[in-house]
């Protein structure tokens, strides 16, 4: 993680022993700090979810698509709360028909607005849905 746009990217006041990526001027924590659409903001929301939602840390884990090479999908069930987490780990849009039933539930967090039927994930897209079981 690059911290700022300075030559050593905020790591040191001296000369870094590893070369700093040239994109550190535009991709760094200082630039992303106040941007609600940034990767940093997304990670902050994920950390907040982990602290506020017991199902994240205490829920029973169930892997949903064990043979899918593109999508990592699982549920976490704790008491009457169930979360489903979907992540597309490819550079391609992929179909996830198992996500469609979750369209009527609460989308807790995502890095893109989902399509109308929620049945596809864009490249590198991730979503977390929540429903209350009664």
């Amino acid at each position: 993680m690059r911290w700022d746009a300075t030559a050593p990217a905020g790591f040191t006041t001296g000369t870094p022993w590893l070369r700093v990526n040239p994109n550190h001027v535009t991709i760094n924590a200082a630039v992303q700090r106040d941007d609600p659409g940034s990767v940093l903001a997304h990670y902050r929301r994920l950390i907040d979810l982990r602290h506020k939602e017991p199902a994240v840390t205490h829920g029973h884990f169930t892997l949903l698509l064990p043979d899918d090479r593109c999508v990592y999908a699982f549920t976490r069930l704790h008491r009457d709360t169930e979360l489903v987490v979907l992540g597309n780990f490819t550079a391609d849009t992929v179909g996830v028909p198992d996500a469609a039933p979750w369209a009527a539930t609460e989308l807790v967090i995502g890095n893109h607005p989902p399509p109308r039927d929620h049945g596809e994930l864009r490249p590198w897209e991730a979503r977390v849905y929540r429903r209350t079981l009664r």
Side-chain angles (χ1 to χ4, degrees):
M1 180 62 164
R2 281 79 92 211
W3 296 110
D4 60 33
T6 62
F11 287 113
T12 181
T13 56
T15 303
W17 60 280
L18 291 174
R19 184 179 65 81
V20 175
N21 192 314
N23 71 4
H24 77 279
V25 174
T26 56
I27 300 175
N28 63 66
V31 169
Q32 294 187 16
R33 184 176 305 129
D34 297 322
D35 177 0
S38 71
V39 172
L40 179 61
H42 184 71
Y43 273 89
R44 285 179 172 165
R45 288 189 297 274
L46 287 171
I47 291 167
D48 188 55
L49 179 65
R50 183 178 186 277
H51 288 287
K52 291 180 178 175
E53 177 55 69
V56 173
T57 54
H58 301 296
H60 175 76
F61 173 89
T62 302
L63 186 61
L64 295 178
L65 303 170
D67 298 322
D68 195 307
R69 299 176 56 94
C70 302
V71 176
Y72 186 55
F74 62 92
T75 61
R76 298 290 298 216
L77 177 62
H78 181 67
R79 297 187 178 142
D80 65 345
T81 300
E82 184 176 28
L83 302 176
V84 67
V85 178
L86 304 168
N88 176 6
F89 289 88
T90 72
D92 299 313
T93 297
V94 294
V96 187
D98 291 2
W102 289 86
T105 66
E106 176 190 5
L107 177 63
V108 179
I109 191 169
N111 59 338
H112 293 289
R116 186 178 305 256
D117 71 353
H118 294 243
E120 287 185 342
L121 290 168
R122 294 180 195 168
W124 316 113
E125 182 177 2
R127 290 186 221 137
V128 178
Y129 295 92
R130 175 176 34 220
R131 70 175 162 199
T132 302
L133 308 172
R134 298 256 153 102

